[in-house]
Amino acid sequence: MQLRYSFRLYPSAGQRAALARAFGCARVVFNDALRVREEARAAGLGFVTSAELSKNLTALKKTPERAWLGEVSAVILQQSLRDLDTAYRNFFDGLKGKRPRTGAPRFKSKRASRQSIRFTANAAWRITPGKKLRLPKIGDVPVRWSRTLPSTPSTVTVVKDAAGRYFASFVIETDASQVLPETTPEIGIDLGLGHFAVLSDCRKVDSPRFLRRAEKRLKKAQQELSRKEKGSSNRGKARLKVARAHARVTDARREFHHQLSTRLIRENQAIAVEDLAVKGLARTRLAKSVHDAGWSAFVSMLEYKAARYGRTFVKIGRFEPTSQVCSHCGVKDGPKPLNVRMWTCGACGAVLDRDINAAVNVAKAAGLAASACGAQVRRASVPAQRSETGTHQEQPTASSRWEQIGIPGL
């Protein structure tokens, strides 16, 4: 399988200028190629191939208007054409139903929040003995290596995010050498907003609500940005401040997802989750909380980590009535509003926690072993028999006591 490793870069002022030049050249090549194809389509001509676009690029570099394209590595310009081909391929595959539908390729803007360039092995980039990243026509860029690469990568992508940070992204081919020893527990997970995750073994993971906790700081930064004059340098500084505040929230959420998913994968042999309709929930009044939770990113982490470490990952259908079925007796009790967190099964009388009951049903729907804890919290009160009711039980008389021991009553 392929894994992506990202490391923070700290380029100097001159290297930042060279990277900005490379980002701009890659963007111009992408937009020029897209314009050629769109003009050919409007004129009723055939689809312009990648080979023709590459020839056009070589010719453009010899013209006075595009001579500055020769100031950057030719590899990143060719990779920009490959990115355009990938965008068209994804668009056509979406129309054919081979993948989720995406929009047609669009022109890139120099004000985009994310910019990137890619170097392949042909660019002769490498990691120096001093642990710096040597990029052609850019120089040796310092890298903060937070971990060791498992193998030698063939390509590196340099990314600049909205907060002005630079990253080196490597795609590594890995094998199954990371398989963990087999273990016994199998769990189902019910994702929610009150608790981020409720496990079928009765454990509940609180929702950190990173965005909600940072709202006051984000609001203040956004207000300062709105007061700055458009086009001024102070507005650019304020925009970076807002972007960095959002980046801190994003990084904290990603770190939480990684820690929780790694712990669950290490502790359990099989994990089951429900396929949530996140896009639909994001159009409701709960949209901010749904985006703050980041369920899709968390489930994706569970999926690829399960494949990497030899665990079983199961995703059940979103239409399974996990909140309507009693996990104790299996009787469907019907839908319930969200404010009902505890409910009593009308068939067996078990008082159930809504979230734990759903997590157990997720595990059962995936074919996993049900937790010993189950979803049952306590038994409902059983009515006393008529003979046992009353404040005082009837006391036996003296004659009845004599008859019990064999002496006839008087």
Side-chain angles (χ1 to χ4, degrees):
M1 62 182 302
Q2 291 183 337
L3 294 177
R4 183 177 296 277
Y5 290 77
S6 294
F7 303 92
R8 183 78 181 270
L9 296 179
Y10 294 91
S12 63
Q15 291 170 345
R16 288 196 296 270
L19 286 171
R21 190 181 307 113
F23 292 141
C25 291
R27 181 182 65 253
V28 168
V29 169
F30 183 94
N31 290 342
D32 286 347
L34 178 58
R35 187 177 297 106
V36 169
R37 284 182 172 174
E38 288 298 309
E39 290 175 353
R41 183 184 63 85
L45 303 177
F47 186 77
V48 182
T49 63
S50 301
E52 294 175 352
L53 291 177
S54 183
K55 291 180 180 179
N56 291 341
L57 174 60
T58 303
L60 280 175
K61 292 169 68 174
K62 298 178 181 179
T63 62
E65 295 80 5
R66 292 287 190 265
W68 40 267
L69 291 176
E71 298 177 3
V72 300
S73 173
V75 172
I76 64 175
L77 304 182
Q78 293 295 330
Q79 292 302 310
S80 187
L81 296 180
R82 302 296 176 271
D83 292 340
L84 179 62
D85 290 338
T86 302
Y88 270 103
R89 189 181 308 112
N90 293 339
F91 171 65
F92 292 135
D93 288 346
L95 295 179
K96 298 175 183 177
K98 296 181 180 180
R99 53 166 293 138
R101 182 168 292 191
T102 59
R106 296 180 296 178
F107 293 99
K108 292 184 177 182
S109 171
K110 64 179 180 180
R111 296 180 179 84
S113 60
R114 183 182 184 275
Q115 302 183 60
S116 65
I117 53 175
R118 185 166 61 255
F119 296 89
T120 61
N122 296 333
W125 69 271
R126 65 188 183 91
I127 300 173
T128 66
K131 298 300 182 181
K132 291 186 177 181
L133 184 62
R134 179 167 296 173
L135 301 174
K137 297 189 178 182
I138 294 175
D140 295 349
V141 184
V143 185
R144 177 176 293 177
W145 301 101
S146 56
R147 49 186 169 173
T148 304
L149 292 174
S151 61
T152 302
S154 59
T155 63
V156 58
T157 303
V158 180
V159 180
K160 181 185 178 183
D161 65 2
R165 302 178 300 178
Y166 294 86
F167 296 90
S169 178
F170 304 91
V171 177
I172 305 295
E173 291 282 349
T174 60
D175 52 14
S177 59
Q178 299 288 334
V179 174
L180 295 173
E182 291 190 5
T183 184
T184 304
E186 299 178 346
I187 61 167
I189 303 176
D190 178 64
L191 299 175
L193 297 177
H195 290 87
F196 177 78
V198 178
L199 312 182
S200 57
D201 57 3
C202 288
R203 289 183 293 169
K204 295 185 177 182
V205 180
D206 291 333
S207 180
R209 294 185 174 92
F210 295 106
L211 180 61
R212 294 288 186 180
R213 291 192 298 177
E215 272 187 332
K216 184 178 295 186
R217 183 173 65 251
L218 293 171
K219 180 181 178 181
K220 183 179 179 180
Q222 188 65 46
Q223 286 176 343
E224 293 177 357
L225 172 63
S226 64
R227 298 189 185 103
K228 300 296 186 289
E229 183 180 354
K230 291 186 177 180
S232 64
S233 59
N234 284 336
R235 184 177 179 85
K237 296 176 184 178
R239 185 199 62 78
L240 275 180
K241 187 176 180 180
V242 172
R244 286 167 182 164
H246 280 286
R248 282 193 292 269
V249 174
T250 303
D251 293 343
R253 184 188 298 114
R254 185 186 300 112
E255 181 68 14
F256 168 73
H257 288 164
H258 272 298
Q259 291 183 358
L260 179 59
S261 58
T262 300
R263 178 162 59 89
L264 294 177
I265 289 295
R266 291 185 182 277
E267 293 176 352
N268 302 277
Q269 183 63 33
I271 295 178
V273 297
E274 187 177 5
D275 183 19
L276 298 173
V278 178
K279 288 185 178 180
L281 292 171
R283 291 193 292 266
T284 65
R285 59 185 179 86
L286 302 174
K288 183 180 290 187
S289 298
V290 170
H291 288 303
D292 191 12
W295 294 326
S296 297
F298 175 71
V299 172
S300 299
M301 290 181 185
L302 283 177
E303 188 171 6
Y304 88 78
K305 289 180 181 180
R308 183 184 183 187
Y309 295 111
R311 300 306 197 203
T312 302
F313 176 82
V314 183
K315 186 184 293 185
I316 68 170
R318 65 184 59 173
F319 298 109
E320 286 286 339
T322 56
S323 298
Q324 304 179 22
V325 176
C326 173
S327 60
H328 186 67
C329 63
V331 174
K332 186 175 181 180
D333 204 17
K336 303 164 190 65
L338 290 176
N339 62 340
V340 177
R341 310 315 302 172
M342 306 284 293
W343 58 284
T344 303
C345 177
C348 65
V351 179
L352 305 168
D353 181 289
R354 180 192 184 109
D355 298 327
I356 299 178
N357 177 74
V360 174
N361 286 331
V362 168
K364 290 184 176 180
L368 306 183
S371 169
C373 163
Q376 182 176 337
V377 177
R378 62 180 181 273
R379 278 286 188 177
S381 301
V382 180
Q385 300 297 322
R386 182 175 296 275
S387 60
E388 299 175 359
T389 58
T391 306
H392 302 286
Q393 293 187 9
E394 183 180 355
Q395 300 295 328
T397 60
S399 59
S400 63
R401 287 197 301 267
W402 293 339
E403 292 176 355
Q404 289 176 1
I405 61 177
I407 302 175
L410 300 176

